Coordinates of all heavy atoms in Angstrom, one line a residue:
M23 N 25.2 -15.6 -30.1 CA 24.5 -16.3 -28.9 C 23.5 -17.2 -29.7 O 22.7 -16.7 -30.5 CB 23.7 -15.3 -28.1 CG 23.2 -16.0 -26.8 SD 22.3 -14.8 -25.7 CE 23.5 -13.7 -25.1
N24 N 23.5 -18.5 -29.3 CA 22.5 -19.4 -30.0 C 21.1 -19.2 -29.3 O 20.9 -18.5 -28.3 CB 23.0 -20.8 -30.0 CG 23.1 -21.4 -28.5 OD1 22.3 -21.0 -27.7 ND2 24.0 -22.3 -28.3
N25 N 20.1 -19.8 -30.0 CA 18.7 -19.6 -29.5 C 18.4 -20.1 -28.1 O 17.8 -19.5 -27.3 CB 17.8 -20.3 -30.5 CG 17.5 -19.5 -31.6 OD1 17.7 -18.4 -31.7 ND2 16.8 -20.0 -32.7
S26 N 19.2 -21.2 -27.7 CA 18.8 -21.8 -26.3 C 19.4 -20.8 -25.3 O 18.8 -20.6 -24.2 CB 19.4 -23.1 -26.2 OG 20.7 -23.2 -26.3
K27 N 20.6 -20.2 -25.6 CA 21.2 -19.3 -24.6 C 20.3 -18.1 -24.6 O 20.1 -17.4 -23.5 CB 22.6 -18.9 -25.0 CG 23.6 -19.9 -24.6 CD 25.1 -19.5 -25.0 CE 26.1 -20.6 -24.7 NZ 27.4 -20.1 -25.1
R28 N 19.9 -17.6 -25.8 CA 19.1 -16.4 -25.8 C 17.7 -16.6 -25.0 O 17.3 -15.7 -24.2 CB 18.7 -16.0 -27.2 CG 18.0 -14.8 -27.4 CD 17.8 -14.3 -28.8 NE 19.1 -14.1 -29.4 CZ 19.5 -14.6 -30.6 NH1 18.7 -15.3 -31.2 NH2 20.7 -14.4 -31.1
T29 N 17.1 -17.8 -25.2 CA 15.9 -18.0 -24.5 C 16.2 -18.1 -23.0 O 15.4 -17.5 -22.2 CB 15.4 -19.4 -25.0 OG1 15.1 -19.2 -26.4 CG2 14.0 -19.8 -24.2
F30 N 17.3 -18.7 -22.6 CA 17.5 -18.8 -21.3 C 17.8 -17.3 -20.6 O 17.3 -17.0 -19.6 CB 18.8 -19.6 -21.1 CG 19.4 -19.6 -19.6 CD1 18.6 -20.3 -18.7 CD2 20.4 -18.9 -19.2 CE1 19.1 -20.5 -17.3 CE2 20.8 -19.0 -17.8 CZ 20.1 -19.8 -16.9
M31 N 18.5 -16.5 -21.3 CA 18.7 -15.1 -20.8 C 17.5 -14.4 -20.7 O 17.3 -13.6 -19.8 CB 19.8 -14.4 -21.7 CG 21.1 -15.0 -21.8 SD 21.9 -15.0 -20.1 CE 22.2 -13.4 -19.9
L32 N 16.6 -14.5 -21.7 CA 15.4 -13.9 -21.7 C 14.4 -14.3 -20.5 O 13.7 -13.5 -19.9 CB 14.5 -14.0 -22.9 CG 15.1 -13.2 -24.2 CD1 14.4 -13.7 -25.5 CD2 15.0 -11.7 -24.0
Q33 N 14.6 -15.6 -20.2 CA 13.8 -16.1 -19.0 C 14.2 -15.5 -17.7 O 13.5 -15.2 -16.8 CB 13.8 -17.7 -19.0 CG 13.1 -18.3 -20.0 CD 13.2 -19.8 -20.3 OE1 14.3 -20.3 -19.8 NE2 12.3 -20.5 -20.7
I34 N 15.7 -15.4 -17.7 CA 16.3 -14.9 -16.4 C 15.8 -13.4 -16.2 O 15.4 -13.0 -15.2 CB 17.7 -15.0 -16.4 CG1 18.2 -16.4 -16.4 CG2 18.4 -14.1 -15.3 CD1 18.0 -17.1 -15.3
I35 N 15.9 -12.6 -17.4 CA 15.4 -11.2 -17.3 C 14.0 -11.1 -16.9 O 13.6 -10.3 -16.1 CB 15.7 -10.6 -18.7 CG1 17.2 -10.4 -18.9 CG2 15.0 -9.2 -18.7 CD1 17.6 -10.1 -20.2
A36 N 13.1 -12.0 -17.6 CA 11.7 -12.0 -17.3 C 11.4 -12.2 -15.8 O 10.6 -11.6 -15.2 CB 10.9 -12.9 -18.3
A37 N 12.1 -13.2 -15.3 CA 11.9 -13.6 -13.8 C 12.2 -12.4 -12.9 O 11.6 -12.2 -12.0 CB 12.8 -14.8 -13.6
G38 N 13.4 -11.8 -13.3 CA 14.0 -10.7 -12.6 C 13.0 -9.5 -12.4 O 12.8 -8.8 -11.6
V39 N 12.3 -9.4 -13.5 CA 11.2 -8.2 -13.7 C 9.9 -8.5 -13.0 O 9.4 -7.8 -12.3 CB 11.0 -7.9 -15.1 CG1 9.9 -6.9 -15.3 CG2 12.3 -7.2 -15.7
S40 N 9.6 -9.8 -13.3 CA 8.2 -10.2 -12.8 C 8.1 -10.4 -11.2 O 7.2 -10.2 -10.6 CB 7.6 -11.4 -13.4 OG 8.5 -12.6 -13.3
L41 N 9.3 -10.8 -10.7 CA 9.2 -11.1 -9.2 C 8.9 -9.8 -8.4 O 8.0 -9.8 -7.6 CB 10.5 -11.8 -8.7 CG 10.6 -13.3 -9.1 CD1 11.9 -13.8 -8.6 CD2 9.4 -14.0 -8.4
P42 N 9.7 -8.7 -8.6 CA 9.3 -7.5 -7.9 C 7.8 -7.0 -8.1 O 7.1 -6.6 -7.3 CB 10.3 -6.4 -8.4 CG 11.4 -7.3 -8.9 CD 10.8 -8.5 -9.5
L43 N 7.4 -7.2 -9.5 CA 6.0 -6.7 -9.8 C 5.0 -7.7 -9.1 O 4.0 -7.1 -8.5 CB 5.7 -6.9 -11.3 CG 6.5 -5.9 -12.2 CD1 6.3 -6.2 -13.7 CD2 6.1 -4.4 -11.8
A44 N 5.2 -9.0 -8.9 CA 4.3 -9.8 -8.2 C 4.2 -9.4 -6.8 O 3.3 -9.5 -6.1 CB 4.8 -11.3 -8.3
K45 N 5.5 -9.1 -6.2 CA 5.4 -8.6 -4.7 C 4.6 -7.4 -4.6 O 3.8 -7.3 -3.6 CB 6.9 -8.3 -4.4 CG 7.1 -8.1 -2.9 CD 8.6 -7.9 -2.6 CE 8.7 -7.7 -1.0 NZ 10.1 -7.5 -0.7
I46 N 4.6 -6.4 -5.5 CA 3.9 -5.3 -5.5 C 2.4 -5.6 -5.6 O 1.5 -5.1 -4.8 CB 4.2 -4.1 -6.5 CG1 5.7 -3.6 -6.1 CG2 3.3 -3.1 -6.6 CD1 6.3 -2.9 -7.2
A47 N 2.0 -6.4 -6.6 CA 0.7 -6.7 -6.9 C 0.0 -7.5 -5.8 O -1.1 -7.2 -5.5 CB 0.7 -7.6 -8.2
F48 N 0.8 -8.2 -5.0 CA 0.1 -9.1 -3.9 C 0.6 -8.5 -2.5 O 0.5 -9.2 -1.6 CB 0.6 -10.4 -4.1 CG 0.1 -11.1 -5.3 CD1 0.9 -11.4 -6.4 CD2 -1.4 -11.2 -5.5 CE1 0.4 -11.9 -7.6 CE2 -1.8 -11.8 -6.7 CZ -0.9 -12.0 -7.7
A49 N 0.9 -7.2 -2.4 CA 1.2 -6.6 -1.1 C -0.1 -6.7 -0.2 O -1.2 -6.6 -0.7 CB 1.7 -5.2 -1.2
E50 N 0.1 -7.1 1.0 CA -1.0 -7.3 1.9 C -1.7 -6.0 2.4 O -1.0 -5.0 2.4 CB -0.5 -8.0 3.2 CG -0.4 -9.5 3.2 CD 0.1 -9.9 4.6 OE1 -0.6 -9.5 5.6 OE2 1.3 -10.4 4.7
Y51 N -2.9 -6.0 2.6 CA -3.5 -4.8 3.2 C -3.1 -4.9 4.7 O -2.9 -6.0 5.3 CB -5.1 -4.9 3.2 CG -5.6 -4.4 1.9 CD1 -6.3 -5.3 1.1 CD2 -5.6 -3.2 1.4 CE1 -6.9 -5.0 -0.2 CE2 -6.2 -2.7 0.2 CZ -6.8 -3.7 -0.5 OH -7.3 -3.2 -1.7
V52 N -3.1 -3.7 5.2 CA -2.9 -3.6 6.7 C -4.1 -4.2 7.4 O -5.2 -3.9 7.1 CB -2.7 -2.1 7.2 CG1 -2.7 -1.9 8.6 CG2 -1.5 -1.5 6.6
N53 N -3.8 -5.0 8.4 CA -4.9 -5.6 9.2 C -5.2 -4.7 10.4 O -4.1 -4.2 11.1 CB -4.4 -6.9 9.7 CG -5.5 -7.7 10.5 OD1 -6.2 -7.1 11.3 ND2 -5.6 -9.0 10.3
E54 N -6.4 -4.3 10.6 CA -6.7 -3.3 11.7 C -6.3 -3.9 13.0 O -6.2 -3.1 14.1 CB -8.3 -3.1 11.7 CG -8.7 -2.4 10.4 CD -10.2 -2.2 10.3 OE1 -10.9 -2.6 11.4 OE2 -10.7 -1.6 9.4
K55 N -6.1 -5.1 13.2 CA -5.7 -5.8 14.4 C -4.1 -5.7 14.6 O -3.7 -6.1 15.6 CB -6.4 -7.0 14.5 CG -7.8 -7.0 14.6 CD -8.5 -8.3 14.8 CE -10.0 -8.1 15.1 NZ -10.8 -9.0 14.6
D56 N -3.3 -5.4 13.5 CA -1.9 -5.3 13.7 C -1.6 -4.4 14.8 O -2.2 -3.4 14.9 CB -1.3 -4.9 12.4 CG -1.2 -5.9 11.3 OD1 -1.6 -7.1 11.6 OD2 -0.8 -5.5 10.2
P57 N -0.5 -4.7 15.7 CA -0.2 -3.8 16.7 C 0.0 -2.4 16.4 O -0.6 -1.4 17.0 CB 1.0 -4.3 17.4 CG 1.0 -5.8 17.0 CD 0.3 -5.8 15.7
T58 N 0.6 -2.0 15.3 CA 0.9 -0.8 14.8 C -0.4 0.0 14.4 O -0.7 1.1 14.6 CB 1.9 -0.7 13.6 OG1 3.1 -1.3 14.0 CG2 2.2 0.7 13.2
A59 N -1.2 -0.8 13.7 CA -2.6 -0.3 13.3 C -3.5 0.0 14.6 O -4.1 1.1 14.5 CB -3.3 -1.4 12.4
V60 N -3.4 -0.8 15.5 CA -4.2 -0.6 16.7 C -3.7 0.7 17.5 O -4.5 1.6 17.8 CB -4.1 -1.8 17.7 CG1 -4.7 -1.4 19.0 CG2 -4.9 -3.0 17.1
S61 N -2.3 0.8 17.6 CA -1.8 2.1 18.2 C -2.2 3.4 17.3 O -2.2 4.4 18.1 CB -0.2 1.9 18.4 OG 0.4 2.0 17.2
L62 N -2.3 3.3 16.2 CA -2.6 4.4 15.3 C -4.1 4.6 15.1 O -4.5 5.6 14.4 CB -1.8 4.5 14.0 CG -0.3 4.5 14.0 CD1 0.4 4.2 12.7 CD2 0.0 5.9 14.5
G63 N -4.9 3.7 15.5 CA -6.3 3.8 15.3 C -6.7 3.6 13.8 O -7.7 4.1 13.4
Y64 N -5.9 2.7 13.1 CA -6.2 2.5 11.7 C -7.4 1.8 11.4 O -7.7 0.8 12.1 CB -5.0 1.7 11.0 CG -5.4 1.5 9.6 CD1 -5.2 2.4 8.5 CD2 -5.8 0.2 9.2 CE1 -5.6 2.1 7.2 CE2 -6.1 -0.1 7.8 CZ -5.9 1.0 6.9 OH -6.4 0.6 5.5
V65 N -8.2 2.4 10.5 CA -9.4 1.6 10.1 C -9.5 1.6 8.6 O -9.1 2.6 7.9 CB -10.7 2.2 10.6 CG1 -10.9 1.9 12.1 CG2 -10.7 3.6 10.4
S66 N -9.9 0.6 7.9 CA -10.0 0.5 6.5 C -11.1 1.3 5.9 O -11.2 1.6 4.6 CB -10.0 -1.0 6.0 OG -11.2 -1.6 6.4
D67 N -12.0 1.7 6.7 CA -13.1 2.6 6.3 C -13.2 3.8 7.3 O -13.5 3.7 8.5 CB -14.4 1.8 6.3 CG -15.7 2.7 5.9 OD1 -15.6 3.9 5.8 OD2 -16.8 2.1 5.8
A68 N -12.7 4.9 6.8 CA -12.6 6.1 7.7 C -14.0 6.5 8.4 O -13.9 6.9 9.5 CB -12.1 7.3 6.8
T69 N -15.1 6.1 7.7 CA -16.2 6.6 8.3 C -16.7 5.7 9.5 O -17.5 6.1 10.3 CB -17.5 6.4 7.3 OG1 -17.6 5.0 6.9 CG2 -17.3 7.2 6.0
K70 N -15.8 4.6 9.7 CA -16.1 3.9 11.0 C -15.0 4.2 12.0 O -15.0 3.5 13.0 CB -16.0 2.4 10.6 CG -17.1 2.0 9.6 CD -17.2 0.4 9.6 CE -18.5 0.1 8.9 NZ -18.6 0.3 7.5
A71 N -14.2 5.2 11.8 CA -13.2 5.7 12.8 C -13.9 6.1 14.1 O -14.9 6.8 14.1 CB -12.4 6.7 12.3
T72 N -13.4 5.6 15.3 CA -13.9 6.0 16.5 C -12.9 6.8 17.3 O -13.2 7.3 18.4 CB -14.3 4.8 17.4 OG1 -13.1 3.9 17.5 CG2 -15.5 3.9 16.8
N73 N -11.8 7.1 16.7 CA -10.7 7.9 17.3 C -11.1 9.3 17.3 O -11.7 9.9 16.4 CB -9.4 7.7 16.5 CG -8.2 8.4 17.2 OD1 -8.1 9.5 17.3 ND2 -7.2 7.5 17.5
G74 N -10.9 9.9 18.4 CA -11.3 11.4 18.6 C -10.7 12.4 17.7 O -11.1 13.4 17.5
K75 N -9.5 12.0 17.2 CA -8.8 12.9 16.2 C -9.4 12.9 14.9 O -9.1 13.8 13.9 CB -7.3 12.4 16.0 CG -6.5 12.6 17.3 CD -5.1 12.3 17.1 CE -4.3 12.5 18.3 NZ -2.8 12.1 18.0
Y76 N -10.3 12.0 14.5 CA -10.8 11.8 13.2 C -11.8 12.9 12.9 O -12.6 13.4 13.7 CB -11.5 10.5 13.0 CG -12.4 10.4 11.7 CD1 -11.7 10.3 10.5 CD2 -13.8 10.6 11.7 CE1 -12.5 10.3 9.3 CE2 -14.5 10.5 10.5 CZ -13.8 10.4 9.3 OH -14.5 10.4 8.1
K77 N -11.6 13.5 11.7 CA -12.6 14.6 11.2 C -13.2 14.1 9.9 O -12.4 13.6 9.1 CB -11.9 15.9 11.0 CG -11.4 16.5 12.4 CD -10.9 18.0 12.2 CE -10.5 18.5 13.5 NZ -9.5 17.9 14.3
A78 N -14.5 14.3 9.7 CA -15.2 13.9 8.5 C -14.4 14.5 7.3 O -14.0 15.6 7.3 CB -16.6 14.4 8.6
G79 N -14.4 13.5 6.4 CA -13.7 13.9 5.1 C -12.3 13.4 5.1 O -11.7 13.3 3.9
Q80 N -11.7 13.1 6.2 CA -10.3 12.7 6.2 C -10.2 11.1 5.7 O -11.1 10.5 6.2 CB -9.6 12.8 7.7 CG -9.4 14.2 8.1 CD -8.9 14.3 9.5 OE1 -9.0 13.3 10.2 NE2 -8.4 15.4 9.9
H81 N -9.3 10.8 4.9 CA -9.1 9.5 4.4 C -7.7 9.3 3.8 O -7.1 10.3 3.5 CB -10.2 9.0 3.6 CG -10.2 9.7 2.3 ND1 -9.6 9.3 1.1 CD2 -10.8 10.8 1.9 CE1 -9.8 10.3 0.2 NE2 -10.6 11.2 0.6
C82 N -7.2 8.0 3.8 CA -5.8 7.9 3.3 C -5.6 8.5 2.0 O -4.5 9.1 1.8 CB -5.5 6.4 3.3 SG -5.5 5.6 4.9
G83 N -6.6 8.4 1.1 CA -6.3 8.9 -0.3 C -6.0 10.5 -0.4 O -5.4 11.0 -1.2
A84 N -6.3 11.1 0.8 CA -6.2 12.6 0.9 C -5.0 13.0 1.9 O -4.8 14.0 2.2 CB -7.4 13.2 1.5
C85 N -4.3 11.9 2.3 CA -3.2 12.1 3.2 C -1.8 12.2 2.5 O -1.7 11.5 1.5 CB -3.2 10.9 4.3 SG -1.8 10.9 5.4
M86 N -1.0 13.0 3.0 CA 0.2 13.2 2.5 C 1.2 12.0 2.5 O 2.1 12.0 1.7 CB 1.1 14.4 3.1 CG 1.5 14.2 4.5 SD 2.2 15.7 5.2 CE 3.7 15.9 4.3
F87 N 0.9 11.1 3.3 CA 1.8 9.8 3.4 C 1.2 8.8 2.4 O 2.0 7.7 2.3 CB 1.6 9.3 4.8 CG 2.3 10.3 5.9 CD1 1.5 10.9 6.8 CD2 3.6 10.6 5.7 CE1 2.0 11.6 7.8 CE2 4.2 11.5 6.6 CZ 3.4 12.0 7.7
F88 N 0.0 9.0 1.7 CA -0.5 8.0 0.9 C 0.4 7.9 -0.3 O 0.6 8.8 -1.0 CB -2.0 8.3 0.6 CG -2.6 7.2 -0.2 CD1 -2.9 6.0 0.2 CD2 -3.0 7.6 -1.6 CE1 -3.5 5.1 -0.5 CE2 -3.6 6.5 -2.3 CZ -4.0 5.2 -1.8
G89 N 0.8 6.6 -0.7 CA 1.8 6.4 -1.7 C 1.1 6.1 -3.2 O 1.7 6.0 -4.1
G90 N -0.3 6.0 -3.1 CA -0.9 5.7 -4.3 C -1.2 6.9 -5.1 O -1.0 8.0 -4.6
K91 N -1.6 6.7 -6.4 CA -2.0 7.8 -7.2 C -3.4 8.2 -6.9 O -4.2 7.5 -6.5 CB -1.7 7.5 -8.7 CG -0.3 7.0 -9.1 CD -0.2 6.7 -10.5 CE -0.9 5.7 -11.1 NZ -0.5 4.3 -10.6
A92 N -3.7 9.4 -7.5 CA -5.0 9.9 -7.3 C -6.0 8.8 -8.0 O -5.8 8.4 -9.1 CB -5.3 11.3 -8.1
G93 N -7.1 8.5 -7.3 CA -8.0 7.5 -7.8 C -7.7 6.1 -7.5 O -8.6 5.1 -7.6
D94 N -6.5 5.8 -7.0 CA -6.2 4.3 -6.5 C -7.0 4.1 -5.4 O -7.3 4.9 -4.5 CB -4.7 4.3 -6.2 CG -3.8 4.2 -7.4 OD1 -4.4 4.2 -8.5 OD2 -2.6 4.3 -7.2
T95 N -7.4 2.8 -5.3 CA -8.2 2.4 -4.1 C -7.3 1.8 -3.0 O -7.9 1.6 -1.9 CB -9.2 1.3 -4.5 OG1 -8.5 0.2 -5.1 CG2 -10.3 1.8 -5.5
K96 N -6.1 1.7 -3.3 CA -5.1 1.2 -2.3 C -3.8 1.8 -2.6 O -3.5 2.2 -3.7 CB -5.0 -0.3 -2.2 CG -4.6 -0.9 -3.5 CD -4.6 -2.4 -3.5 CE -4.0 -2.9 -4.8 NZ -3.8 -4.4 -4.8
G97 N -2.8 1.7 -1.6 CA -1.5 2.3 -1.8 C -0.6 2.1 -0.6 O -1.1 1.8 0.5
P98 N 0.6 2.2 -0.8 CA 1.6 2.0 0.3 C 1.6 3.3 1.2 O 1.1 4.4 0.8 CB 2.9 1.9 -0.2 CG 2.8 2.6 -1.6 CD 1.4 2.4 -2.1
C99 N 1.9 3.0 2.4 CA 2.0 4.2 3.4 C 3.2 3.8 4.2 O 3.5 2.8 4.7 CB 0.8 4.1 4.4 SG 1.0 5.3 5.8
P100 N 4.2 4.8 4.5 CA 5.5 4.5 5.2 C 5.3 4.1 6.6 O 6.1 3.5 7.2 CB 6.2 5.9 5.0 CG 5.2 6.9 4.7 CD 4.0 6.1 4.0
L101 N 4.1 4.3 7.1 CA 3.9 4.0 8.5 C 3.6 2.5 8.7 O 3.8 1.9 9.7 CB 2.7 4.8 9.1 CG 3.0 6.1 9.7 CD1 3.5 7.1 8.6 CD2 1.8 6.6 10.5
F102 N 3.3 1.8 7.5 CA 3.0 0.4 7.5 C 3.9 -0.3 6.3 O 3.4 -0.5 5.3 CB 1.6 0.1 7.2 CG 0.7 0.6 8.3 CD1 0.0 1.8 8.0 CD2 0.5 0.0 9.6 CE1 -0.9 2.4 9.0 CE2 -0.3 0.5 10.4 CZ -1.0 1.7 10.2
A103 N 5.2 -0.2 6.6 CA 6.2 -0.7 5.5 C 5.7 -2.2 5.0 O 5.5 -3.1 5.7 CB 7.6 -0.7 6.1
G104 N 5.8 -2.2 3.7 CA 5.5 -3.5 3.0 C 4.1 -3.9 2.9 O 3.8 -4.9 2.4
K105 N 3.2 -3.0 3.3 CA 1.8 -3.3 3.2 C 1.1 -2.1 2.6 O 1.7 -1.2 2.3 CB 1.2 -3.6 4.6 CG 1.8 -4.8 5.3 CD 1.1 -5.2 6.5 CE 1.8 -6.5 7.0 NZ 1.1 -6.9 8.2
E106 N -0.2 -2.3 2.2 CA -0.9 -1.2 1.7 C -2.2 -0.9 2.5 O -2.8 -1.7 3.2 CB -1.4 -1.7 0.3 CG -0.2 -1.9 -0.7 CD -0.7 -2.2 -2.2 OE1 -1.6 -3.0 -2.4 OE2 -0.2 -1.5 -3.0
V107 N -2.5 0.4 2.4 CA -3.7 0.8 3.2 C -4.8 1.1 2.1 O -4.6 1.3 0.9 CB -3.4 2.0 3.9 CG1 -2.4 1.8 5.1 CG2 -3.0 3.3 3.0
H108 N -6.0 1.0 2.5 CA -7.2 1.4 1.7 C -7.3 2.8 1.5 O -7.0 3.6 2.6 CB -8.6 0.9 2.4 CG -8.5 -0.5 2.4 ND1 -9.2 -1.3 1.4 CD2 -8.2 -1.4 3.3 CE1 -9.2 -2.5 1.7 NE2 -8.5 -2.7 2.8
S109 N -7.4 3.4 0.2 CA -7.6 4.8 0.1 C -8.7 5.4 1.0 O -8.6 6.5 1.5 CB -8.0 5.2 -1.4 OG -8.3 6.4 -1.6
A110 N -9.7 4.5 1.3 CA -10.8 5.0 2.0 C -10.6 4.8 3.6 O -11.4 5.2 4.5 CB -12.1 4.1 1.7
G111 N -9.3 4.3 4.1 CA -8.9 4.1 5.4 C -8.6 5.4 6.0 O -8.5 6.5 5.5
W112 N -8.0 5.3 7.3 CA -7.6 6.4 8.1 C -6.9 6.0 9.3 O -7.1 4.8 9.7 CB -8.8 7.3 8.6 CG -8.6 8.4 9.4 CD1 -8.5 9.7 8.9 CD2 -8.5 8.5 10.8 NE1 -8.1 10.6 10.0 CE2 -8.2 9.8 11.1 CE3 -8.5 7.5 11.9 CZ2 -7.9 10.2 12.5 CZ3 -8.4 7.9 13.2 CH2 -8.0 9.2 13.4
C113 N -6.0 6.8 9.7 CA -5.3 6.6 11.1 C -5.1 8.0 11.7 O -5.1 9.0 11.0 CB -4.0 5.7 10.8 SG -2.6 6.7 10.5
S114 N -4.6 7.9 12.9 CA -4.5 9.1 13.7 C -3.3 9.9 13.3 O -3.2 11.2 13.7 CB -4.5 8.9 15.1 OG -3.3 7.9 15.5
A115 N -2.4 9.4 12.4 CA -1.4 10.2 11.8 C -1.7 11.0 10.6 O -0.9 11.6 9.9 CB -0.1 9.2 11.5
F116 N -3.0 11.0 10.2 CA -3.4 11.6 9.0 C -2.9 13.1 9.0 O -2.9 13.8 9.9 CB -5.0 11.7 9.0 CG -5.4 12.5 7.9 CD1 -5.7 11.9 6.5 CD2 -5.7 13.9 8.0 CE1 -6.0 12.7 5.5 CE2 -6.2 14.6 6.9 CZ -6.4 14.0 5.6
A117 N -2.3 13.4 7.8 CA -2.0 14.8 7.6 C -2.3 15.1 6.1 O -2.0 14.5 5.2 CB -0.4 15.0 7.6
A118 N -3.1 16.1 6.0 CA -3.7 16.4 4.7 C -2.6 16.8 3.7 O -1.5 17.4 3.9 CB -4.6 17.7 4.8
K119 N -2.7 16.2 2.4 CA -1.9 16.6 1.4 C -1.8 18.2 1.1 O -3.0 18.8 1.2 CB -2.4 16.0 0.0 CG -2.1 14.5 0.0 CD -2.5 13.9 -1.5 CE -2.3 12.4 -1.4 NZ -2.8 11.9 -2.7
P120 N -0.7 18.7 0.9 CA -0.8 20.1 0.7 C -1.5 20.4 -0.7 O -1.6 19.6 -1.6 CB 0.7 20.5 0.4 CG 1.5 19.2 0.6 CD 0.6 18.1 0.7
A121 N -2.2 21.5 -0.6 CA -3.1 22.0 -1.7 C -2.3 22.3 -2.9 O -1.1 22.7 -3.0 CB -3.9 23.1 -1.3
Ligands
SF4_24 S1 -0.6 8.0 7.7 FE1 -2.1 8.7 6.2 S2 -2.0 7.2 4.4 FE2 -1.0 6.3 6.2 S3 -2.5 5.1 7.2 FE3 -2.6 7.1 8.2 S4 -4.1 8.3 7.2 FE4 -3.7 6.6 5.8

């Protein structure tokens, strides 16, 4: 393979790898005004939750549905496909991570 073909192939591979990473890096946060967020009472700051199901100390980072790692400030949640929730957020579907 000559250098121009090799360079072209490397560019194609790099593009294929970087596009999914860019999509992850720039995933939108859930907007509290999205219909699904409203129906679940989602707030980006759990301490501001007004939903009667909220209990002090609950937040997305402690929820079994939170897809981020420990210490992440944001992460995916299957209830909001393609978007991210704040670790400090909360919704009425909160379910504590198993101990
Ligand atoms: S299900 Fe859990 S992680 Fe998802 S928004 Fe509600 S509290 Fe946060």
Side-chain angles (χ1 to χ4, degrees):
M23 187 182 299
N24 65 33
N25 276 347
S26 63
K27 283 184 181 174
R28 184 174 299 129
T29 300
F30 176 74
M31 294 302 288
L32 289 173
Q33 287 171 336
I34 295 293
I35 292 167
V39 169
S40 63
L41 285 174
L43 291 176
K45 189 175 179 182
I46 291 168
F48 296 109
E50 277 180 62
Y51 278 117
V52 171
N53 185 320
E54 294 178 3
K55 293 181 177 149
D56 284 352
T58 304
V60 170
S61 70
L62 291 170
Y64 174 80
V65 287
S66 59
D67 179 352
T69 64
K70 296 195 168 69
T72 56
N73 188 296
K75 292 183 178 176
Y76 173 72
K77 291 188 175 60
Q80 294 179 341
H81 62 93
C82 292
C85 176
M86 66 184 293
F87 297 115
F88 184 68
K91 297 184 298 286
D94 285 353
T95 58
K96 62 182 181 177
C99 170
L101 277 65
F102 299 101
K105 296 192 176 177
E106 292 188 311
V107 296
H108 292 266
S109 173
W112 179 88
C113 88
S114 60
F116 174 87
K119 284 182 182 174

